[in-house]
Short mmCIF file of all heavy atoms in Angstrom, two decimals:
data_model
loop_
_atom_site.label_atom_id
_atom_site.label_comp_id
_atom_site.label_asym_id
_atom_site.label_seq_id
_atom_site.Cartn_x
_atom_site.Cartn_y
_atom_site.Cartn_z
N MET S 172 -14.03 18.61 -22.90
CA MET S 172 -13.54 17.27 -22.62
C MET S 172 -13.63 17.02 -21.12
O MET S 172 -13.33 17.90 -20.32
CB MET S 172 -12.10 17.13 -23.10
CG MET S 172 -11.52 15.77 -22.84
SD MET S 172 -9.83 15.59 -23.45
CE MET S 172 -10.18 15.40 -25.17
N ASP S 173 -14.06 15.84 -20.74
CA ASP S 173 -14.19 15.48 -19.33
C ASP S 173 -12.87 14.88 -18.85
O ASP S 173 -12.59 13.71 -19.08
CB ASP S 173 -15.33 14.48 -19.16
CG ASP S 173 -15.58 14.13 -17.71
OD1 ASP S 173 -14.87 14.64 -16.81
OD2 ASP S 173 -16.49 13.32 -17.45
N TYR S 174 -12.04 15.71 -18.20
CA TYR S 174 -10.73 15.24 -17.76
C TYR S 174 -10.79 14.28 -16.58
O TYR S 174 -9.80 13.67 -16.23
CB TYR S 174 -9.81 16.43 -17.44
CG TYR S 174 -9.29 17.07 -18.68
CD1 TYR S 174 -9.84 18.26 -19.16
CD2 TYR S 174 -8.27 16.48 -19.41
CE1 TYR S 174 -9.37 18.83 -20.32
CE2 TYR S 174 -7.79 17.05 -20.58
CZ TYR S 174 -8.34 18.23 -21.02
OH TYR S 174 -7.88 18.79 -22.17
N SER S 175 -11.98 14.11 -15.97
CA SER S 175 -12.08 13.11 -14.91
C SER S 175 -11.90 11.70 -15.47
O SER S 175 -11.63 10.77 -14.73
CB SER S 175 -13.41 13.23 -14.17
OG SER S 175 -14.47 12.86 -15.02
N LEU S 176 -12.06 11.55 -16.78
CA LEU S 176 -11.82 10.25 -17.41
C LEU S 176 -10.34 9.92 -17.46
O LEU S 176 -9.97 8.78 -17.68
CB LEU S 176 -12.38 10.24 -18.84
CG LEU S 176 -13.89 10.35 -18.99
CD1 LEU S 176 -14.25 10.45 -20.47
CD2 LEU S 176 -14.58 9.16 -18.36
N PHE S 177 -9.49 10.92 -17.31
CA PHE S 177 -8.05 10.74 -17.47
C PHE S 177 -7.33 10.93 -16.15
O PHE S 177 -6.65 11.92 -15.91
CB PHE S 177 -7.51 11.71 -18.53
CG PHE S 177 -8.23 11.60 -19.84
CD1 PHE S 177 -9.03 12.62 -20.29
CD2 PHE S 177 -8.12 10.45 -20.61
CE1 PHE S 177 -9.69 12.51 -21.51
CE2 PHE S 177 -8.79 10.32 -21.82
CZ PHE S 177 -9.57 11.37 -22.27
N LEU S 178 -7.49 9.98 -15.25
CA LEU S 178 -6.83 10.04 -13.96
C LEU S 178 -5.32 10.06 -14.16
O LEU S 178 -4.81 9.40 -15.07
CB LEU S 178 -7.23 8.84 -13.11
CG LEU S 178 -8.73 8.69 -12.83
CD1 LEU S 178 -9.00 7.34 -12.16
CD2 LEU S 178 -9.22 9.81 -11.97
N PRO S 179 -4.57 10.77 -13.33
CA PRO S 179 -3.11 10.81 -13.51
C PRO S 179 -2.45 9.46 -13.27
O PRO S 179 -1.46 9.13 -13.90
CB PRO S 179 -2.64 11.85 -12.50
CG PRO S 179 -3.74 11.95 -11.51
CD PRO S 179 -5.00 11.61 -12.22
N TYR S 180 -2.98 8.67 -12.36
CA TYR S 180 -2.44 7.34 -12.10
C TYR S 180 -3.56 6.45 -11.58
O TYR S 180 -4.64 6.92 -11.25
CB TYR S 180 -1.29 7.37 -11.09
CG TYR S 180 -1.74 7.67 -9.68
CD1 TYR S 180 -2.06 6.64 -8.81
CD2 TYR S 180 -1.87 8.97 -9.22
CE1 TYR S 180 -2.51 6.90 -7.52
CE2 TYR S 180 -2.31 9.23 -7.94
CZ TYR S 180 -2.61 8.20 -7.10
OH TYR S 180 -3.06 8.45 -5.82
N PHE S 181 -3.29 5.17 -11.53
CA PHE S 181 -4.22 4.22 -10.93
C PHE S 181 -3.41 3.07 -10.38
O PHE S 181 -2.21 2.96 -10.61
CB PHE S 181 -5.31 3.75 -11.91
CG PHE S 181 -4.79 3.03 -13.12
CD1 PHE S 181 -4.78 1.65 -13.17
CD2 PHE S 181 -4.31 3.74 -14.21
CE1 PHE S 181 -4.31 0.98 -14.29
CE2 PHE S 181 -3.85 3.08 -15.33
CZ PHE S 181 -3.84 1.70 -15.37
N ILE S 182 -4.06 2.21 -9.62
CA ILE S 182 -3.39 1.09 -8.97
C ILE S 182 -3.95 -0.22 -9.51
O ILE S 182 -5.16 -0.38 -9.64
CB ILE S 182 -3.57 1.16 -7.44
CG1 ILE S 182 -2.88 2.41 -6.90
CG2 ILE S 182 -3.04 -0.10 -6.77
CD1 ILE S 182 -3.10 2.68 -5.45
N VAL S 183 -3.06 -1.13 -9.86
CA VAL S 183 -3.45 -2.47 -10.30
C VAL S 183 -3.33 -3.40 -9.11
O VAL S 183 -2.25 -3.51 -8.51
CB VAL S 183 -2.55 -2.96 -11.46
CG1 VAL S 183 -2.86 -4.41 -11.80
CG2 VAL S 183 -2.69 -2.06 -12.67
N ASN S 184 -4.42 -4.04 -8.74
CA ASN S 184 -4.42 -5.02 -7.66
C ASN S 184 -4.52 -6.42 -8.25
O ASN S 184 -5.28 -6.65 -9.19
CB ASN S 184 -5.62 -4.80 -6.73
CG ASN S 184 -5.50 -3.52 -5.95
OD1 ASN S 184 -4.44 -3.16 -5.50
ND2 ASN S 184 -6.61 -2.82 -5.81
N VAL S 185 -3.76 -7.35 -7.70
CA VAL S 185 -3.77 -8.75 -8.14
C VAL S 185 -4.27 -9.59 -6.98
O VAL S 185 -3.75 -9.50 -5.87
CB VAL S 185 -2.36 -9.21 -8.58
CG1 VAL S 185 -2.39 -10.66 -9.03
CG2 VAL S 185 -1.81 -8.30 -9.67
N PHE S 186 -5.29 -10.43 -7.28
CA PHE S 186 -5.90 -11.28 -6.27
C PHE S 186 -5.75 -12.75 -6.65
O PHE S 186 -5.68 -13.09 -7.83
CB PHE S 186 -7.40 -10.95 -6.13
CG PHE S 186 -7.67 -9.54 -5.69
CD1 PHE S 186 -7.82 -8.52 -6.62
CD2 PHE S 186 -7.77 -9.24 -4.36
CE1 PHE S 186 -8.08 -7.21 -6.22
CE2 PHE S 186 -8.03 -7.94 -3.93
CZ PHE S 186 -8.18 -6.92 -4.87
N ASP S 187 -5.75 -13.63 -5.64
CA ASP S 187 -5.74 -15.06 -5.92
C ASP S 187 -7.18 -15.55 -6.12
O ASP S 187 -8.12 -14.74 -6.15
CB ASP S 187 -5.01 -15.84 -4.82
CG ASP S 187 -5.69 -15.77 -3.47
OD1 ASP S 187 -6.86 -15.33 -3.37
OD2 ASP S 187 -5.05 -16.15 -2.48
N LYS S 188 -7.36 -16.85 -6.25
CA LYS S 188 -8.69 -17.41 -6.51
C LYS S 188 -9.68 -17.16 -5.38
O LYS S 188 -10.89 -17.14 -5.60
CB LYS S 188 -8.58 -18.91 -6.77
CG LYS S 188 -7.89 -19.24 -8.07
CD LYS S 188 -7.80 -20.73 -8.27
CE LYS S 188 -7.05 -21.03 -9.55
NZ LYS S 188 -6.91 -22.46 -9.80
N GLU S 189 -9.18 -16.97 -4.16
CA GLU S 189 -10.05 -16.69 -3.01
C GLU S 189 -10.19 -15.18 -2.77
O GLU S 189 -10.68 -14.75 -1.74
CB GLU S 189 -9.50 -17.36 -1.74
CG GLU S 189 -9.70 -18.88 -1.71
CD GLU S 189 -8.71 -19.63 -2.58
OE1 GLU S 189 -7.53 -19.22 -2.61
OE2 GLU S 189 -9.10 -20.59 -3.25
N PHE S 190 -9.72 -14.38 -3.71
CA PHE S 190 -9.78 -12.93 -3.64
C PHE S 190 -8.95 -12.34 -2.51
O PHE S 190 -9.29 -11.29 -1.95
CB PHE S 190 -11.23 -12.42 -3.59
CG PHE S 190 -11.99 -12.74 -4.84
CD1 PHE S 190 -12.90 -13.78 -4.87
CD2 PHE S 190 -11.78 -12.01 -6.00
CE1 PHE S 190 -13.59 -14.10 -6.02
CE2 PHE S 190 -12.47 -12.32 -7.15
CZ PHE S 190 -13.38 -13.36 -7.17
N ASN S 191 -7.84 -13.01 -2.17
CA ASN S 191 -6.87 -12.45 -1.25
C ASN S 191 -5.90 -11.59 -2.07
O ASN S 191 -5.44 -12.01 -3.12
CB ASN S 191 -6.09 -13.55 -0.53
CG ASN S 191 -6.99 -14.39 0.34
OD1 ASN S 191 -7.74 -13.88 1.16
ND2 ASN S 191 -6.94 -15.70 0.15
N LEU S 192 -5.60 -10.41 -1.56
CA LEU S 192 -4.71 -9.50 -2.27
C LEU S 192 -3.30 -10.08 -2.29
O LEU S 192 -2.72 -10.36 -1.25
CB LEU S 192 -4.70 -8.13 -1.59
CG LEU S 192 -3.85 -7.05 -2.24
CD1 LEU S 192 -4.36 -6.71 -3.64
CD2 LEU S 192 -3.84 -5.80 -1.38
N ILE S 193 -2.76 -10.28 -3.49
CA ILE S 193 -1.41 -10.81 -3.65
C ILE S 193 -0.41 -9.68 -3.87
O ILE S 193 0.67 -9.69 -3.31
CB ILE S 193 -1.34 -11.78 -4.85
CG1 ILE S 193 -2.24 -12.98 -4.61
CG2 ILE S 193 0.08 -12.21 -5.13
CD1 ILE S 193 -2.34 -13.88 -5.83
N ALA S 194 -0.78 -8.72 -4.72
CA ALA S 194 0.14 -7.64 -5.06
C ALA S 194 -0.64 -6.38 -5.40
O ALA S 194 -1.81 -6.43 -5.77
CB ALA S 194 1.00 -8.05 -6.24
N GLU S 195 0.04 -5.26 -5.25
CA GLU S 195 -0.54 -3.96 -5.56
C GLU S 195 0.53 -3.13 -6.25
O GLU S 195 1.67 -3.07 -5.78
CB GLU S 195 -1.00 -3.30 -4.25
CG GLU S 195 -1.75 -2.02 -4.43
CD GLU S 195 -2.30 -1.53 -3.10
OE1 GLU S 195 -1.55 -0.86 -2.39
OE2 GLU S 195 -3.46 -1.83 -2.80
N HIS S 196 0.19 -2.53 -7.38
CA HIS S 196 1.19 -1.77 -8.13
C HIS S 196 0.59 -0.45 -8.62
O HIS S 196 -0.43 -0.45 -9.32
CB HIS S 196 1.68 -2.58 -9.33
CG HIS S 196 2.69 -1.86 -10.16
ND1 HIS S 196 3.98 -1.67 -9.74
CD2 HIS S 196 2.58 -1.28 -11.37
CE1 HIS S 196 4.64 -0.99 -10.67
NE2 HIS S 196 3.80 -0.75 -11.67
N LYS S 197 1.21 0.65 -8.26
CA LYS S 197 0.81 1.97 -8.76
C LYS S 197 1.52 2.20 -10.09
O LYS S 197 2.74 2.09 -10.18
CB LYS S 197 1.20 3.06 -7.76
CG LYS S 197 0.84 4.46 -8.23
CD LYS S 197 1.26 5.50 -7.21
CE LYS S 197 1.09 6.90 -7.75
NZ LYS S 197 1.60 7.92 -6.85
N VAL S 198 0.74 2.47 -11.13
CA VAL S 198 1.33 2.67 -12.45
C VAL S 198 1.86 4.09 -12.59
O VAL S 198 1.46 5.00 -11.87
CB VAL S 198 0.33 2.36 -13.59
CG1 VAL S 198 -0.12 0.94 -13.55
CG2 VAL S 198 -0.86 3.29 -13.53
N LYS S 199 2.77 4.27 -13.52
CA LYS S 199 3.41 5.56 -13.76
C LYS S 199 2.37 6.61 -14.11
O LYS S 199 1.45 6.36 -14.89
CB LYS S 199 4.42 5.40 -14.89
CG LYS S 199 5.29 6.59 -15.11
CD LYS S 199 6.34 6.28 -16.17
CE LYS S 199 7.17 7.52 -16.45
NZ LYS S 199 8.16 7.27 -17.50
N GLU S 200 2.51 7.80 -13.54
CA GLU S 200 1.54 8.87 -13.76
C GLU S 200 1.50 9.32 -15.22
O GLU S 200 2.51 9.35 -15.91
CB GLU S 200 1.86 10.07 -12.87
CG GLU S 200 1.59 9.81 -11.41
CD GLU S 200 1.69 11.06 -10.56
OE1 GLU S 200 1.69 12.18 -11.10
OE2 GLU S 200 1.76 10.91 -9.33
N ASN S 201 0.29 9.68 -15.67
CA ASN S 201 0.05 10.23 -17.00
C ASN S 201 0.61 9.36 -18.13
O ASN S 201 1.18 9.88 -19.10
CB ASN S 201 0.61 11.65 -17.10
CG ASN S 201 -0.05 12.60 -16.13
OD1 ASN S 201 -1.20 12.43 -15.76
ND2 ASN S 201 0.67 13.60 -15.68
N THR S 202 0.45 8.05 -17.99
CA THR S 202 0.95 7.12 -19.01
C THR S 202 -0.17 6.27 -19.60
O THR S 202 -0.27 6.15 -20.81
CB THR S 202 2.03 6.20 -18.42
OG1 THR S 202 3.09 7.00 -17.91
CG2 THR S 202 2.60 5.27 -19.48
N TYR S 203 -1.01 5.68 -18.73
CA TYR S 203 -2.01 4.73 -19.19
C TYR S 203 -3.43 5.21 -18.92
O TYR S 203 -3.66 6.04 -18.05
CB TYR S 203 -1.81 3.38 -18.49
CG TYR S 203 -0.47 2.77 -18.78
CD1 TYR S 203 0.51 2.72 -17.80
CD2 TYR S 203 -0.18 2.25 -20.03
CE1 TYR S 203 1.75 2.17 -18.06
CE2 TYR S 203 1.05 1.70 -20.31
CZ TYR S 203 2.01 1.66 -19.32
OH TYR S 203 3.24 1.11 -19.59
N LEU S 204 -4.37 4.66 -19.67
CA LEU S 204 -5.79 4.96 -19.49
C LEU S 204 -6.46 3.76 -18.82
O LEU S 204 -6.66 2.73 -19.46
CB LEU S 204 -6.46 5.24 -20.84
CG LEU S 204 -5.90 6.45 -21.58
CD1 LEU S 204 -6.49 6.52 -22.99
CD2 LEU S 204 -6.18 7.73 -20.82
N PRO S 205 -6.79 3.86 -17.53
CA PRO S 205 -7.30 2.69 -16.80
C PRO S 205 -8.62 2.16 -17.33
O PRO S 205 -8.88 0.96 -17.27
CB PRO S 205 -7.43 3.18 -15.36
CG PRO S 205 -7.55 4.66 -15.48
CD PRO S 205 -6.74 5.04 -16.69
N HIS S 206 -9.48 3.02 -17.84
CA HIS S 206 -10.78 2.56 -18.32
C HIS S 206 -10.69 1.87 -19.68
O HIS S 206 -11.69 1.36 -20.18
CB HIS S 206 -11.76 3.73 -18.37
CG HIS S 206 -11.35 4.85 -19.26
ND1 HIS S 206 -10.34 5.73 -18.92
CD2 HIS S 206 -11.78 5.22 -20.48
CE1 HIS S 206 -10.17 6.60 -19.91
NE2 HIS S 206 -11.03 6.31 -20.86
N LEU S 207 -9.50 1.82 -20.28
CA LEU S 207 -9.31 1.13 -21.55
C LEU S 207 -8.33 -0.04 -21.41
O LEU S 207 -7.66 -0.41 -22.36
CB LEU S 207 -8.79 2.10 -22.62
CG LEU S 207 -9.75 3.20 -23.03
CD1 LEU S 207 -9.09 4.14 -24.06
CD2 LEU S 207 -11.02 2.62 -23.62
N SER S 208 -8.26 -0.63 -20.24
CA SER S 208 -7.38 -1.79 -20.03
C SER S 208 -8.18 -3.08 -20.22
O SER S 208 -9.40 -3.10 -20.08
CB SER S 208 -6.77 -1.74 -18.63
OG SER S 208 -7.78 -1.77 -17.65
N PHE S 209 -7.47 -4.15 -20.59
CA PHE S 209 -8.12 -5.44 -20.76
C PHE S 209 -7.10 -6.56 -20.57
O PHE S 209 -5.90 -6.34 -20.66
CB PHE S 209 -8.80 -5.55 -22.13
CG PHE S 209 -7.87 -5.36 -23.31
CD1 PHE S 209 -7.35 -6.45 -23.98
CD2 PHE S 209 -7.54 -4.09 -23.74
CE1 PHE S 209 -6.51 -6.28 -25.06
CE2 PHE S 209 -6.70 -3.90 -24.83
CZ PHE S 209 -6.17 -5.00 -25.50
N ILE S 210 -7.60 -7.76 -20.29
CA ILE S 210 -6.74 -8.91 -20.06
C ILE S 210 -6.97 -9.94 -21.16
O ILE S 210 -8.11 -10.22 -21.53
CB ILE S 210 -7.01 -9.53 -18.68
CG1 ILE S 210 -6.61 -8.55 -17.58
CG2 ILE S 210 -6.26 -10.85 -18.50
CD1 ILE S 210 -6.87 -9.03 -16.18
N THR S 211 -5.88 -10.49 -21.68
CA THR S 211 -5.93 -11.59 -22.65
C THR S 211 -5.03 -12.71 -22.13
O THR S 211 -4.43 -12.57 -21.06
CB THR S 211 -5.43 -11.14 -24.04
OG1 THR S 211 -4.04 -10.77 -23.94
CG2 THR S 211 -6.24 -9.97 -24.57
N GLU S 212 -4.90 -13.78 -22.91
CA GLU S 212 -4.01 -14.86 -22.49
C GLU S 212 -2.55 -14.41 -22.45
O GLU S 212 -1.72 -15.04 -21.80
CB GLU S 212 -4.16 -16.09 -23.39
CG GLU S 212 -3.77 -15.87 -24.83
CD GLU S 212 -4.92 -15.41 -25.72
OE1 GLU S 212 -6.06 -15.32 -25.24
OE2 GLU S 212 -4.66 -15.13 -26.89
N ASN S 213 -2.23 -13.31 -23.12
CA ASN S 213 -0.87 -12.78 -23.10
C ASN S 213 -0.57 -11.95 -21.85
O ASN S 213 0.58 -11.70 -21.54
CB ASN S 213 -0.60 -11.93 -24.33
CG ASN S 213 -0.66 -12.74 -25.60
OD1 ASN S 213 -0.28 -13.91 -25.61
ND2 ASN S 213 -1.16 -12.15 -26.66
N GLY S 214 -1.61 -11.47 -21.15
CA GLY S 214 -1.40 -10.69 -19.94
C GLY S 214 -2.30 -9.47 -19.86
O GLY S 214 -3.32 -9.38 -20.55
N LEU S 215 -1.91 -8.52 -19.03
CA LEU S 215 -2.65 -7.28 -18.82
C LEU S 215 -2.24 -6.29 -19.90
O LEU S 215 -1.05 -6.00 -20.08
CB LEU S 215 -2.35 -6.71 -17.44
CG LEU S 215 -2.92 -5.33 -17.11
CD1 LEU S 215 -4.44 -5.35 -17.13
CD2 LEU S 215 -2.40 -4.85 -15.77
N ASN S 216 -3.21 -5.77 -20.63
CA ASN S 216 -2.96 -4.83 -21.71
C ASN S 216 -3.42 -3.44 -21.28
O ASN S 216 -4.58 -3.25 -20.92
CB ASN S 216 -3.73 -5.25 -22.97
CG ASN S 216 -3.30 -6.61 -23.45
OD1 ASN S 216 -2.32 -6.74 -24.14
ND2 ASN S 216 -4.03 -7.64 -23.06
N LEU S 217 -2.51 -2.48 -21.32
CA LEU S 217 -2.82 -1.11 -20.93
C LEU S 217 -2.60 -0.19 -22.13
O LEU S 217 -1.59 -0.29 -22.82
CB LEU S 217 -1.93 -0.66 -19.77
CG LEU S 217 -2.05 -1.45 -18.47
CD1 LEU S 217 -1.04 -0.96 -17.45
CD2 LEU S 217 -3.45 -1.33 -17.91
N ILE S 218 -3.55 0.71 -22.35
CA ILE S 218 -3.47 1.67 -23.45
C ILE S 218 -2.59 2.84 -22.99
O ILE S 218 -2.91 3.52 -22.02
CB ILE S 218 -4.86 2.18 -23.84
CG1 ILE S 218 -5.82 1.03 -24.12
CG2 ILE S 218 -4.77 3.14 -25.02
CD1 ILE S 218 -5.44 0.12 -25.25
N ALA S 219 -1.50 3.08 -23.71
CA ALA S 219 -0.51 4.10 -23.32
C ALA S 219 -0.70 5.38 -24.13
O ALA S 219 0.24 5.92 -24.69
CB ALA S 219 0.90 3.54 -23.51
N ASN S 220 -1.92 5.88 -24.17
CA ASN S 220 -2.22 7.11 -24.89
C ASN S 220 -2.86 8.15 -23.97
O ASN S 220 -3.85 8.78 -24.32
CB ASN S 220 -3.17 6.82 -26.06
CG ASN S 220 -2.50 6.10 -27.19
OD1 ASN S 220 -2.20 4.92 -27.05
ND2 ASN S 220 -2.25 6.78 -28.29
N HIS S 221 -2.29 8.34 -22.79
CA HIS S 221 -2.81 9.33 -21.85
C HIS S 221 -2.64 10.73 -22.46
O HIS S 221 -1.58 11.04 -23.01
CB HIS S 221 -2.05 9.24 -20.52
CG HIS S 221 -2.71 9.96 -19.41
ND1 HIS S 221 -2.68 11.32 -19.29
CD2 HIS S 221 -3.45 9.50 -18.37
CE1 HIS S 221 -3.35 11.69 -18.22
NE2 HIS S 221 -3.84 10.60 -17.64
N PRO S 222 -3.66 11.59 -22.40
CA PRO S 222 -3.57 12.91 -23.04
C PRO S 222 -2.50 13.82 -22.46
O PRO S 222 -2.07 14.76 -23.12
CB PRO S 222 -4.97 13.51 -22.85
CG PRO S 222 -5.57 12.75 -21.73
CD PRO S 222 -4.96 11.38 -21.76
N GLU S 223 -2.05 13.56 -21.23
CA GLU S 223 -0.99 14.39 -20.62
C GLU S 223 0.41 13.88 -20.95
O GLU S 223 1.39 14.51 -20.57
CB GLU S 223 -1.18 14.43 -19.11
CG GLU S 223 -2.48 15.09 -18.66
CD GLU S 223 -2.55 16.56 -19.05
OE1 GLU S 223 -1.52 17.26 -18.99
OE2 GLU S 223 -3.65 17.00 -19.43
N LYS S 224 0.51 12.75 -21.63
CA LYS S 224 1.81 12.19 -21.98
C LYS S 224 2.35 12.91 -23.21
O LYS S 224 1.66 13.04 -24.22
CB LYS S 224 1.66 10.69 -22.27
CG LYS S 224 2.95 9.98 -22.56
CD LYS S 224 2.68 8.50 -22.76
CE LYS S 224 3.94 7.76 -23.09
NZ LYS S 224 3.70 6.35 -23.34
N GLU S 225 3.58 13.35 -23.14
CA GLU S 225 4.18 14.08 -24.26
C GLU S 225 4.47 13.15 -25.42
O GLU S 225 4.84 12.00 -25.23
CB GLU S 225 5.46 14.76 -23.80
CG GLU S 225 5.22 15.91 -22.85
CD GLU S 225 6.46 16.75 -22.61
OE1 GLU S 225 7.34 16.78 -23.49
OE2 GLU S 225 6.54 17.36 -21.55
N GLY S 226 4.27 13.64 -26.62
CA GLY S 226 4.63 12.90 -27.81
C GLY S 226 3.64 11.86 -28.26
O GLY S 226 3.96 11.07 -29.14
N ILE S 227 2.43 11.84 -27.68
CA ILE S 227 1.46 10.84 -28.13
C ILE S 227 0.86 11.28 -29.46
O ILE S 227 0.77 12.46 -29.75
CB ILE S 227 0.33 10.57 -27.10
CG1 ILE S 227 -0.54 11.81 -26.91
CG2 ILE S 227 0.85 10.05 -25.82
CD1 ILE S 227 -1.88 11.50 -26.30
N SER S 228 0.47 10.32 -30.25
CA SER S 228 -0.16 10.58 -31.53
C SER S 228 -1.63 10.19 -31.44
O SER S 228 -1.95 9.11 -30.94
CB SER S 228 0.52 9.78 -32.64
OG SER S 228 -0.23 9.87 -33.84
N GLU S 229 -2.49 11.05 -31.93
CA GLU S 229 -3.91 10.73 -31.97
C GLU S 229 -4.23 9.79 -33.12
O GLU S 229 -5.36 9.33 -33.26
CB GLU S 229 -4.74 12.00 -32.06
CG GLU S 229 -4.65 12.86 -30.81
CD GLU S 229 -5.53 14.10 -30.90
OE1 GLU S 229 -6.32 14.22 -31.84
OE2 GLU S 229 -5.41 14.95 -30.00
N ASP S 230 -3.24 9.49 -33.95
CA ASP S 230 -3.45 8.64 -35.11
C ASP S 230 -3.13 7.17 -34.85
O ASP S 230 -3.27 6.34 -35.75
CB ASP S 230 -2.60 9.12 -36.28
CG ASP S 230 -2.99 10.51 -36.73
OD1 ASP S 230 -4.17 10.87 -36.60
OD2 ASP S 230 -2.10 11.25 -37.20
N GLU S 231 -2.65 6.84 -33.66
CA GLU S 231 -2.31 5.46 -33.36
C GLU S 231 -2.63 5.13 -31.91
O GLU S 231 -2.72 6.01 -31.06
CB GLU S 231 -0.84 5.18 -33.62
CG GLU S 231 0.11 5.99 -32.76
CD GLU S 231 1.58 5.75 -33.08
OE1 GLU S 231 1.92 5.65 -34.26
OE2 GLU S 231 2.36 5.67 -32.12
N ILE S 232 -2.84 3.86 -31.66
CA ILE S 232 -3.06 3.38 -30.29
C ILE S 232 -1.85 2.56 -29.89
O ILE S 232 -1.42 1.67 -30.62
CB ILE S 232 -4.33 2.52 -30.20
CG1 ILE S 232 -5.57 3.37 -30.51
CG2 ILE S 232 -4.46 1.90 -28.82
CD1 ILE S 232 -6.86 2.58 -30.58
N VAL S 233 -1.29 2.87 -28.73
CA VAL S 233 -0.15 2.14 -28.21
C VAL S 233 -0.63 1.26 -27.06
O VAL S 233 -1.25 1.76 -26.12
CB VAL S 233 0.95 3.11 -27.71
CG1 VAL S 233 2.12 2.35 -27.12
CG2 VAL S 233 1.41 4.02 -28.85
N ILE S 234 -0.36 -0.04 -27.16
CA ILE S 234 -0.78 -0.99 -26.14
C ILE S 234 0.47 -1.63 -25.54
O ILE S 234 1.30 -2.17 -26.28
CB ILE S 234 -1.70 -2.08 -26.70
CG1 ILE S 234 -2.96 -1.45 -27.30
CG2 ILE S 234 -2.05 -3.09 -25.62
CD1 ILE S 234 -3.87 -2.43 -28.01
N HIS S 235 0.61 -1.55 -24.22
CA HIS S 235 1.70 -2.24 -23.52
C HIS S 235 1.10 -3.46 -22.85
O HIS S 235 0.09 -3.36 -22.14
CB HIS S 235 2.35 -1.35 -22.47
CG HIS S 235 3.07 -0.18 -23.06
ND1 HIS S 235 3.56 0.84 -22.31
CD2 HIS S 235 3.39 0.14 -24.34
CE1 HIS S 235 4.16 1.72 -23.07
NE2 HIS S 235 4.06 1.32 -24.33
N THR S 236 1.70 -4.62 -23.06
CA THR S 236 1.22 -5.87 -22.47
C THR S 236 2.17 -6.32 -21.39
O THR S 236 3.38 -6.40 -21.60
CB THR S 236 1.09 -6.95 -23.56
OG1 THR S 236 0.20 -6.48 -24.57
CG2 THR S 236 0.53 -8.25 -22.98
N PHE S 237 1.61 -6.62 -20.21
CA PHE S 237 2.39 -7.06 -19.06
C PHE S 237 1.99 -8.51 -18.75
O PHE S 237 0.82 -8.80 -18.50
CB PHE S 237 2.12 -6.17 -17.84
CG PHE S 237 2.52 -4.74 -18.08
CD1 PHE S 237 1.61 -3.84 -18.63
CD2 PHE S 237 3.79 -4.31 -17.80
CE1 PHE S 237 1.97 -2.53 -18.86
CE2 PHE S 237 4.17 -3.00 -18.03
CZ PHE S 237 3.25 -2.10 -18.56
N GLU S 238 2.98 -9.39 -18.76
CA GLU S 238 2.72 -10.80 -18.49
C GLU S 238 2.38 -10.98 -17.01
O GLU S 238 3.05 -10.42 -16.14
CB GLU S 238 3.96 -11.63 -18.83
CG GLU S 238 3.75 -13.11 -18.69
CD GLU S 238 4.98 -13.91 -19.09
OE1 GLU S 238 5.95 -13.30 -19.57
OE2 GLU S 238 4.94 -15.12 -18.90
N LEU S 239 1.34 -11.74 -16.75
CA LEU S 239 0.92 -12.02 -15.38
C LEU S 239 1.56 -13.34 -14.95
O LEU S 239 1.25 -14.39 -15.51
CB LEU S 239 -0.60 -12.09 -15.28
CG LEU S 239 -1.32 -10.83 -15.74
CD1 LEU S 239 -2.82 -11.05 -15.75
CD2 LEU S 239 -0.97 -9.65 -14.86
N ILE S 240 2.45 -13.29 -13.98
CA ILE S 240 3.18 -14.47 -13.52
C ILE S 240 2.64 -14.92 -12.18
O ILE S 240 2.44 -14.12 -11.28
CB ILE S 240 4.69 -14.15 -13.41
CG1 ILE S 240 5.21 -13.70 -14.76
CG2 ILE S 240 5.46 -15.36 -12.90
CD1 ILE S 240 6.64 -13.19 -14.72
N GLN S 241 2.42 -16.23 -12.04
CA GLN S 241 1.94 -16.76 -10.76
C GLN S 241 3.09 -17.23 -9.93
O GLN S 241 4.06 -17.73 -10.37
CB GLN S 241 0.98 -17.90 -10.97
CG GLN S 241 -0.32 -17.43 -11.54
CD GLN S 241 -1.34 -18.57 -11.60
OE1 GLN S 241 -1.06 -19.70 -11.29
NE2 GLN S 241 -2.54 -18.24 -12.00
#
């Protein structure tokens, strides 16, 4: 298994329409998979099935949705 795919943490940057940095947030270590994140009208969706997280099930996908507020 290529563990470089499973970074311990990553940073979410939020930019305005002119690409000025508005906010920066470091996510909790060993919780989310950054390469499996996506945005919908409901907000930022992060997959919470990091292989180093205790108690995860390989039989289900857990998605946490964070509302993006302007």
